[in-house]
Amino acid sequence: MKKLSTLVAIGATAALALTACGGSNSGGSSTPNAAPTDKVLHLSFLQDPGQPPDPDIYYAGQGLILTTNTYEGLLQYKAGTDKAELQPLLATEWTASPDNKVFTFKLREGVKFHDGTPFTSAAVKASFDRRAAVNQGPAYMVSDVDSVTTQGDYGVTITLKAPNSAFLDYLACPYGPRMLSPEGLQKNAGTDHAQGYLTTHDLGTGPFTLTAAEVGSKYELTSFPDYWGTKPYFEKVELPVITDVSAQQLQFNNGQLAAILHDLPSSAVQSYLDNKSFANYSLPTMMSNFVYINPKKGMMTDAKNRNAVMQAIDVDELVKQTYFGRGKKADQVYPANMMAPEFGKQSVTHDPSVLSGIAASLPADQKSVTIGYDSSNPDNQLISNLIQTQLAAAGLNAKVQAYPTSEIYGWVGTDGQSAPEIMTYLGWPDAPSPYTWGHISWDADGGLNFFGCSAPAVTAALAKGLPTGDDADFSTAGEEAVKTGCWLNVANVNDFMVAQPWLKGVEQAHVVTDPNTLRLSALSVG
């Protein structure tokens, strides 16, 4: 996730759109459900987003659909492809200095914020300042900004304190700086830089505006009548929180939901692959499923033991049991679609005998471990159960436990004692730069480094590659990360989505860097 939050060909995950429409029945409705005539799109969340839809705070997975459809940044990534290709958004032109330190932008004219005020260069500085002041997870993307200088209403220059080859990726990625109304921020500032206001309202320029945000219950988006771009077909998007995956599927099968965009369990994937009443899509992402090991707890404080646990995991079996139709075994430590296949190689030989030998000599209280997973991810419940069986065969006593997303992020920066020894985790980069993933996952201060594992050689290689973006340096960082025994990339995972056959534009609305979501303005009825 975050890191989730950014974002070119790792072992090319093809942009497969496995579309199946028709009238036969295999567990769902016997005839295709009729398209709505009221221009209301019904979707859902499997769990509450867990954080307010404030672009300077939101840093998770489910919920991107709110922030990416209500707010816009200076740049974006092209939709409908497996490559992270920069495109204009609120900036129409841009240049970068040869040393990746000074960036100039020509801004789009005729854009209005949702509060009716015009978008000008003043908003760039106000938005960057607000992100730094709020200082939540995504704030690192503006921490190295030295100055924001305006040239009239529609020109701006951003100067960094040091060269950063990832900066344009930060501006385009789903967690990057979004433009907020300066007048709206001032009017609703309160004592928290408008954080209270932005839990139930928005101050963006996107095609939709936030019209309901009832935590644990429902969210709603409404099309913005003065949007500068192509007007959305759907005038309203309703997103109830349906915490039971079976209930979610039942509502979809009965035509109450137009699509399910995320977190379908493997059993459901198979049923929808076989069901010709619905359309299904396996779309390329930068998501990968990782195993994390906590180096601060129990037997895992020894790197030899951590690497032995990784060797005991039968990755081929995990992928076979969990990701058929929407993923494949990873052979790089970086997420999918980020680096050419020769870089960041991950070589962990499956050999459970190494752990068996270690486990036989451990005292009884050192043989018990917990395998954790995010409660919103049914695939990782299955993967955790499979790992539990594999580790038990090697001599460990493993139990499986679910944790909410908010608790998982709460482990960052702690002594790791309240966290499990092992965690399975579906993650993706904030931005498509290898530096970004390496920094947030492997540096000691990274927002996805839940257990605080790091190594000087990793940090040094990342720092060396940052000014120029040299993949060879990032490859070295990945190889050094594997040596710690703290991370294993199990599988590169596609976005598997199912939709009613009348919902058009799903492939064109999907962005490789933005998992679990679609650009809603690209959807229509056909």
Side-chain angles (χ1 to χ4, degrees), residues 41 43 65 69 208 231-234 237 258-259 261 281 497 499 502-510 517-526:
L41 180 65
L43 302 172
I65 198 167
N69 284 286
F208 290 89
K231 302 298 186 289
Y233 169 82
F234 289 103
V237 183
L261 304 185
Y281 304 86
M497 301 179 176
W502 51 258
L503 186 65
K504 302 305 179 185
V506 172
E507 297 155 89
Q508 296 78 11
H510 186 266
T517 188
L518 296 172
R519 288 183 180 156
L520 298 174
S521 60
L523 300 176
S524 62
V525 167

Side-chain angles (χ1 to χ4, degrees), residues 154-225:
Y154 298 104
V156 67
T157 298
I158 300 172
T159 303
L160 307 183
K161 299 172 186 174
N164 187 335
S165 60
F167 187 67
L168 292 176
D169 288 314
Y170 290 171
L171 299 186
C173 76
Y175 302 96
R178 294 297 191 258
M179 298 299 103
L180 294 89
S181 163
E183 289 189 33
L185 287 176
Q186 185 176 22
K187 178 181 177 182
N188 301 286
T191 60
D192 61 359
H193 306 286
Q195 289 182 60
Y197 180 77
L198 292 182
T199 59
T200 54
H201 303 79
D202 79 272
L203 289 169
T205 62
F208 290 89
T209 185
L210 182 70
T211 47
E214 300 175 17
V215 175
S217 177
K218 71 171 185 178
Y219 295 80
E220 180 186 87
L221 302 174
T222 301
S223 62
F224 179 51

Side-chain angles (χ1 to χ4, degrees), residues 335-410:
N337 298 312
M338 178 174 286
M339 301 177 76
E342 65 266 25
F343 293 114
K345 284 295 191 181
Q346 170 184 267
S347 54
V348 179
T349 305
H350 176 51
D351 184 0
S353 68
V354 180
L355 180 59
S356 296
I358 292 172
S361 62
L362 287 174
D365 62 346
Q366 289 285 298
K367 293 183 181 182
S368 295
V369 299
T370 298
I371 305 168
Y373 69 95
D374 189 313
S375 58
S376 71
N377 191 293
D379 288 328
N380 269 328
Q381 181 177 11
L382 174 57
I383 284 178
S384 297
N385 288 335
L386 292 169
I387 292 176
Q388 176 188 35
T389 301
Q390 293 172 4
L391 297 186
L396 296 186
N397 301 317
K399 70 173 183 178
V400 173
Q401 183 172 335
Y403 297 88
T405 305
S406 57
E407 184 173 351
I408 292 171
Y409 282 98

Side-chain angles (χ1 to χ4, degrees), residues 125-395:
K125 179 169 174 52
S127 299
F128 276 57
D129 287 349
R130 196 260 178 175
R131 175 163 286 214
V134 170
N135 197 28
Q136 295 291 311
Y140 77 89
M141 296 187 192
V142 300
S143 63
D144 286 337
V145 172
D146 187 52
S147 65
V148 178
T149 306
T150 60
Q151 290 90 41
D153 283 345
Y154 298 104
V156 67
T157 298
I158 300 172
T159 303
L160 307 183
K161 299 172 186 174
N164 187 335
S165 60
F167 187 67
L168 292 176
D169 288 314
Y170 290 171
L171 299 186
C173 76
Y175 302 96
R178 294 297 191 258
M179 298 299 103
L180 294 89
S181 163
E183 289 189 33
L185 287 176
Q186 185 176 22
K187 178 181 177 182
N188 301 286
T191 60
D192 61 359
H193 306 286
Q195 289 182 60
Y197 180 77
L198 292 182
T199 59
T200 54
H201 303 79
D202 79 272
L203 289 169
T205 62
F208 290 89
T209 185
L210 182 70
T211 47
E214 300 175 17
V215 175
S217 177
K218 71 171 185 178
Y219 295 80
E220 180 186 87
L221 302 174
T222 301
S223 62
F224 179 51
D226 291 330
Y227 182 58
W228 62 268
T230 303
K231 302 298 186 289
Y233 169 82
F234 289 103
E235 296 174 356
K236 186 174 289 186
V237 183
E238 294 187 352
L239 293 132
V241 178
I242 305 172
T243 56
D244 182 85
V245 67
S246 298
Q248 185 185 50
Q249 290 170 51
L250 181 61
Q251 289 196 28
F252 172 75
N253 293 349
N254 290 339
Q256 296 166 266
L257 297 177
I260 300 177
L261 304 185
H262 48 70
D263 295 320
L264 280 165
S266 298
S267 57
V269 169
Q270 186 62 65
S271 69
Y272 287 119
L273 286 172
D274 294 338
N275 191 331
K276 306 308 179 186
S277 295
F278 305 110
N280 61 73
Y281 304 86
S282 186
L283 302 167
T285 71
M286 291 187 171
M287 291 193 294
S288 288
N289 213 96
F290 289 87
V291 173
Y292 281 62
I293 291 186
N294 184 350
K296 301 176 179 178
K297 194 169 183 181
M299 65 174 284
M300 303 306 179
T301 57
D302 188 329
K304 173 172 57 70
N305 295 348
R306 297 195 297 271
N307 280 291
V309 169
M310 293 300 193
Q311 285 186 271
I313 295 173
D314 186 345
V315 172
D316 288 320
E317 189 63 22
L318 299 186
V319 175
K320 176 183 175 183
Q321 293 289 332
T322 311
Y323 286 120
F324 48 83
R326 61 203 170 107
K328 66 178 184 178
K329 180 180 178 180
D331 58 7
Q332 293 172 297
V333 68
Y334 284 91
N337 298 312
M338 178 174 286
M339 301 177 76
E342 65 266 25
F343 293 114
K345 284 295 191 181
Q346 170 184 267
S347 54
V348 179
T349 305
H350 176 51
D351 184 0
S353 68
V354 180
L355 180 59
S356 296
I358 292 172
S361 62
L362 287 174
D365 62 346
Q366 289 285 298
K367 293 183 181 182
S368 295
V369 299
T370 298
I371 305 168
Y373 69 95
D374 189 313
S375 58
S376 71
N377 191 293
D379 288 328
N380 269 328
Q381 181 177 11
L382 174 57
I383 284 178
S384 297
N385 288 335
L386 292 169
I387 292 176
Q388 176 188 35
T389 301
Q390 293 172 4
L391 297 186

